[in-house]
Amino acid sequence: MRPAWSALEKHYCEIKDVHLKQLFAENPERGERLSVEAAGLYLDYSKNRITDETLSLLLRLAAESGLREHIDAMFRGDKINASESRAVLHVALRAPRGTSIIHDGRNVVPDVHAVLDKMADFANRVRGGAWKGHTGRRIRNVINIGIGGSDLGPVMAYQALRHYSDRSLTFHFVSNIDGTDFAEAVKGLDPAETLFIVSSKTFTTLETMTNARTARDWLLSGLNRDESAIARHFVAVSTNALEVAKFGIDTTNMFGFWDWVGGRYSLDSAIGLSTMVAIGPENFRAMLDGFHAVDEHFRTAPFERNLPVLMGLLAIWYNNFFGAQTAAVLPYEQYLNRFPAYLQQLTMESNGKHVTLDGTRVDYDTSPIYWGEPGTNGQHSFYQLIHQGTRLIPCDFIAFAKTLNPLGAHHDMLVANVFAQAEALAFGKSETQMRAEGIQDRLVPHRLFEGNRPSNTLLLDSLTPDTLGRLVALYEHSVFTQGAIWGIDSFDQWGVELGKALAQQIIPQLESTTEPELQHDSSTNALIRRYRKLKGIV
Ligand code: F6P
């Protein structure tokens, strides 16, 4: 065990009962002192159950875990995704033109910009109407077909940046293998005005390929089954040119990326094509610049002023020492309504691991469960549990000083609620306060707010492509920090494979017109038989 880890365990026992009220009373400047403004972001982390000693021990843990070396290795293009022998270079996707990041002896930045230029040309043609559908009509609807990182990033960014999007185009995102997803997305759409972007790193993913085939059928049946229509209505985003060509998409209509971009880190690669079509190449570039600013901050800032490092260390503090099982992400910004879902893949697919890089079983917890909803809606649903339940749930509140839709007093009310929630969680409401208010004795326990519930508050200027890039990069690097400390591979995802393989066995068993020979466990066998019966096959 690392010395800083044992020191933190000991320190936890000393401060676990210390109340935030006391920490604030002892240090009236705490609210300003425990905050960092850097890389265009402002983080108030004063409402965390930490002292100066906690911070210095956490920083020692980062040093003992080799976090600096890990960061350098990522930016150097080392194959830090050990189980897949791959480099992890999403930072190259947002590197400015003219800079250099080397992968296998080659500067990849010019390659990145060549794809960005091709995307920009395409996006401009669709937006300007120069790219026409098969019958000569303008494209009015764009449908991204993808799943996981090839869906969550695009849909989150589209929703987040909708304010900046071209409203003469509609955007839809089809991910689920459930046919309802596709059926509802195309309802009322005219195939002659619809463009599909098939987004898949591998171009073999069951859901995406099934939806893409269904899309092709839908399109062709609306366009007299003229196969030559495909070229005007389908483009692909992938690393796999062979499979793209096999599907029937001309590879000149393919936008590439590379095996050193993980699916959940691919929003700023060509996977962001739908986002670029929606908001335009300049706004997309501004988003990439936001990412890059935080990359540089992460790479160069001293750890005690390094936002992703601090957020990562705080996450470790609650996860591994307080035993918190979950963490809530609560954006007070309606446009960020898919941000928690996006973060779920980023955090849990990255750090939901049970072995270290060398394959040894960990004897500590790795990623907490991330969840959340935009505020204030969550306040009228699950916040009860955060305030008075029995579990400790560290929260990240995200708020913006300026709204994109000024409507009377709405925004002040929204922001007042974020501040109020963080205050209520931290300081609670004591018995003494309640008695002073004349609350009946029998109600006092029910109405008691113990407080001492930790949170971060991120207060940003306004939601722009640039700030979105900064926010996403902040979480990406916080996830990296946590993974480095746990010593795990944050960039593979073997845990998704077994279910995929079993589904491939079960599909023909559900479809077969003759009784299949079933060799699953008795529960799975019974479910398959029952499904077949309900479906009316037997
Ligand atoms: O199932 C998990 C996963 O591999 C994710 O990591 C990835 O984002 C998603 O599937 C989609 O993969 P692809 O882009 O290759 O279709």
Side-chain angles (χ1 to χ4, degrees):
M1 189 185 287
R2 299 207 163 90
W5 190 282
S6 348
L8 277 159
E9 279 180 343
K10 191 164 158 276
H11 173 67
Y12 164 73
C13 296
E14 287 155 15
I15 76 153
K16 67 179 177 7
D17 297 322
V18 176
H19 202 287
L20 279 165
K21 269 192 227 165
Q22 182 188 332
L23 295 173
F24 271 82
E26 283 167 7
N27 182 349
E29 247 80 86
R30 184 180 168 95
E32 280 115 53
R33 214 163 66 78
L34 298 191
S35 68
V36 183
E37 184 169 12
L41 300 165
Y42 177 81
L43 168 70
D44 171 358
Y45 62 100
S46 61
K47 296 191 188 81
N48 281 291
R49 291 168 67 172
I50 54 170
T51 62
D52 287 351
E53 192 185 347
T54 323
L55 274 176
S56 79
L57 288 173
L58 287 168
L59 290 165
R60 239 172 69 196
L61 180 64
E64 285 175 14
S65 309
L67 179 59
R68 165 62 48 217
E69 293 73 17
H70 278 85
I71 295 172
D72 292 345
M74 172 169 72
F75 279 85
R76 210 170 38 226
D78 289 7
K79 299 200 163 134
I80 59 168
N81 175 357
S83 79
E84 295 182 307
S85 296
R86 285 182 183 163
V88 173
L89 276 178
H90 44 277
V91 292
L93 299 170
R94 46 264 194 156
R97 214 182 279 277
T99 55
S100 167
I101 295 186
I102 305 294
H103 174 258
D104 277 348
R106 178 189 171 89
N107 180 10
V108 296
V109 179
D111 301 344
V112 165
H113 281 270
V115 175
L116 284 170
D117 290 345
K118 185 175 170 180
M119 289 165 64
D121 175 59
F122 175 74
N124 283 333
R125 281 194 287 151
V126 174
R127 289 163 63 83
W131 178 285
K132 302 252 187 295
H134 180 62
T135 64
R137 300 248 290 275
R138 265 186 90 145
I139 296 299
R140 295 281 172 206
N141 319 302
V142 177
I143 304 188
N144 184 76
I145 298 181
I147 198 163
S150 302
D151 167 70
L152 286 163
V155 74
M156 180 280 286
Y158 168 68
Q159 298 287 359
L161 301 177
R162 213 163 166 191
H163 178 78
Y164 304 88
S165 72
D166 181 341
R167 304 295 175 124
S168 68
L169 293 165
T170 74
F171 289 83
H172 306 263
F173 298 84
V174 173
S175 53
N176 202 334
I177 192 109
D178 183 342
T180 299
D181 203 6
F182 182 84
E184 285 295 338
V186 296
K187 234 169 220 148
L189 301 189
D190 180 346
E193 299 183 339
T194 303
L195 173 79
F196 290 97
I197 302 178
V198 185
S199 298
S200 174
K201 183 175 170 181
T202 54
F203 231 70
T204 56
T205 305
L206 175 74
E207 291 89 339
T208 302
M209 298 328 296
T210 307
N211 279 320
R213 279 191 292 273
T214 301
R216 185 168 54 188
D217 273 0
W218 176 82
L219 183 96
L220 291 178
S221 56
L223 295 175
N224 298 322
R225 303 224 68 85
D226 183 348
E227 294 269 340
S228 67
I230 304 283
R232 308 306 303 163
H233 294 271
F234 276 83
V235 298
V237 178
S238 188
T239 58
N240 191 344
L242 208 69
E243 288 296 327
V244 169
K246 261 204 236 161
F247 180 83
I249 297 178
D250 185 345
T251 48
T252 49
N253 293 338
M254 166 180 162
F255 300 83
F257 61 113
W258 305 270
D259 73 354
W260 41 261
V261 182
R264 52 195 175 273
Y265 297 87
S266 65
L267 148 68
D268 41 6
S269 71
I271 290 290
L273 185 61
S274 55
T275 312
M276 193 192 269
V277 174
I279 64 174
E282 276 175 30
N283 279 322
F284 196 81
R285 182 67 241 171
M287 181 180 82
L288 298 184
D289 290 343
F291 271 100
H292 179 67
V294 173
D295 294 343
E296 283 304 284
H297 167 73
F298 182 53
R299 191 175 66 80
T300 59
F303 286 170
E304 63 277 13
R305 311 280 309 157
N306 193 312
L307 289 164
V309 171
L310 288 170
M311 283 185 64
L313 290 174
L314 289 166
I316 299 258
W317 177 231
Y318 294 116
N319 188 66
N320 295 104
F321 299 92
F322 279 81
Q325 302 225 335
T326 81
V329 183
L330 308 163
Y332 277 63
E333 168 55 73
Q334 188 59 30
Y335 283 125
L336 287 181
N337 63 342
R338 292 298 281 161
F339 193 65
Y342 170 78
L343 277 189
Q344 286 186 320
Q345 187 196 13
L346 178 67
T347 54
M348 296 195 274
E349 201 174 71
S350 295
N351 283 340
K353 306 291 161 66
H354 69 301
V355 293
T356 59
L357 279 162
D358 67 7
T360 313
R361 185 98 172 65
V362 294
D363 56 3
Y364 41 83
D365 279 322
T366 57
S367 180
I369 296 151
Y370 281 84
W371 57 284
E373 274 289 318
T376 56
N377 291 9
Q379 289 176 205
H380 298 272
S381 138
F382 52 80
Y383 277 39
Q384 163 66 39
L385 183 150
I386 308 182
H387 282 284
Q388 286 191 318
T390 54
R391 295 171 192 280
L392 180 80
I393 301 173
C395 299
D396 285 352
F397 291 104
I398 302 171
F400 294 87
K402 297 183 195 117
T403 174
L404 296 169
N405 294 297
L407 276 182
H410 280 251
H411 196 62
D412 286 343
M413 292 183 194
L414 176 73
V415 175
N417 271 280
V418 197
F419 297 165
Q421 289 300 325
E423 185 178 8
L425 286 169
F427 304 107
K429 189 167 181 186
S430 66
E431 268 189 53
T432 327
Q433 281 170 290
M434 273 181 290
R435 290 195 202 284
E437 284 176 16
I439 301 215
Q440 285 173 42
D441 278 0
R442 70 178 186 89
L443 290 180
V444 167
H446 297 280
R447 300 190 56 169
L448 178 74
F449 288 79
E450 285 167 350
N452 216 12
R453 289 159 199 243
S455 66
N456 287 315
T457 301
L458 280 160
L459 182 58
L460 313 184
D461 186 53
S462 64
L463 180 57
T464 62
D466 171 89
T467 50
L468 180 71
R470 288 171 199 262
L471 196 58
V472 175
L474 171 68
Y475 278 94
E476 284 180 349
H477 298 318
S478 163
V479 164
F480 181 95
T481 298
Q482 295 167 57
I485 288 172
W486 291 320
I488 57 179
D489 189 335
S490 300
F491 301 100
D492 61 11
Q493 57 283 318
W494 298 107
V496 302
E497 295 302 328
L498 178 59
K500 283 187 193 172
L502 288 174
Q504 289 295 355
Q505 277 177 27
I506 296 174
I507 291 167
Q509 296 170 343
L510 300 186
E511 286 180 328
S512 164
T513 48
T514 56
E515 188 62 32
E517 199 190 314
L518 299 178
Q519 287 176 338
H520 304 276
D521 58 278
S522 58
S523 157
T524 311
N525 286 346
L527 287 165
I528 292 173
R529 286 196 197 103
R530 191 165 181 82
Y531 174 81
R532 288 173 56 82
K533 200 164 154 208
L534 289 170
K535 212 178 137 185
I537 307 186
V538 281

